[in-house]
Amino acid sequence: METRTYTTIDLRKQMGEILDRTRIAGEPAAITRKGKTLAYLVPAEWFERYQATAAAQETADQDAA
């Protein structure tokens, strides 16, 4: 899935639409200012899965040490 790019101005003007595209359609979004990416907006499930995976990896690393 292609990441859409929005400026901070787009984000201010279209917050609801961008959030809906991310939440409902599962489309990630890059938020930029002056051509530089400041943040990524991803569906909550993606982030929660990332956190669980990172925690499991940290536990595995500690057990291996």
Side-chain angles (χ1 to χ4, degrees):
M1 179 168 299
E2 186 177 328
T3 301
R4 290 185 176 239
T5 301
Y6 299 95
T7 65
T8 53
I9 294 170
D10 295 334
L11 184 62
R12 278 186 236 140
K13 291 180 179 180
Q14 303 171 37
M15 175 81 75
E17 180 183 335
I18 294 169
L19 287 172
D20 284 346
R21 290 180 88 102
T22 300
R23 181 179 60 88
I24 296 168
E27 294 179 2
I31 309 304
T32 65
R33 180 186 294 149
K34 297 181 182 177
K36 293 187 177 186
T37 302
L38 300 177
Y40 289 95
L41 181 63
V42 297
E45 295 83 22
W46 291 18
F47 185 72
E48 290 164 358
R49 202 170 328 133
Y50 164 78
Q51 284 185 312
T53 302
Q57 183 62 48
E58 186 175 323
T59 300
D61 290 347
Q62 289 174 353
D63 289 346

